């Protein structure tokens, strides 16, 4: 896979990924991604993107319950 931004070579490796939202800060230590050796851009595969989105959806639903109880 080539980098979509600079066309550089990408390498598959585990990367840290952070999501900053209102009310929470999610830090994932190791997600498999293609990382560009030239510009350092990270690309996730669809299955990983789906999994992350599912996780966020569940997390936000749980957070709603917690904030209601507060
Ligand atoms: Zn690049």
């Amino acid at each position: 896979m080539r980098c979509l931004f600079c066309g550089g070579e990408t390498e598959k490796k585990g990367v840290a990924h952070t999501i900053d939202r209102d009310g929470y800060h999610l830090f994932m230590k190791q997600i498999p991604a293609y990382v560009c050796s030239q510009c350092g851009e990270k690309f996730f595969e669809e299955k990983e993107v789906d999994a992350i989105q599912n996780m966020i959806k569940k997390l936000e639903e749980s957070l709603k319950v917690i904030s209601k109880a507060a």
Side-chain angles (χ1 to χ4, degrees):
M1 185 183 165
R2 290 253 165 198
C3 174
L4 299 176
F5 295 98
C6 72
E9 294 278 352
T10 58
E11 190 192 347
K12 194 160 196 189
K13 53 182 171 183
V15 297
H17 187 58
T18 309
I19 293 165
D20 249 317
R21 293 279 166 86
D22 215 21
Y24 68 90
H25 178 88
L26 184 64
F27 178 75
M28 288 163 280
K29 263 176 124 173
Q30 277 235 340
I31 298 175
Y34 291 94
V35 182
C36 177
S37 58
Q38 279 193 70
C39 71
E41 193 61 43
K42 294 179 280 189
F43 302 97
F44 297 109
E45 278 185 86
E46 212 181 318
K47 64 175 187 324
E48 275 107 33
V49 173
D50 282 353
I52 292 167
Q53 278 171 352
N54 277 334
M55 190 161 65
I56 289 168
K57 215 175 128 201
K58 290 216 170 96
L59 184 68
E60 287 185 347
E61 279 165 11
S62 302
L63 282 170
K64 267 184 218 160
V65 174
I66 294 168
S67 56
K68 261 183 209 161

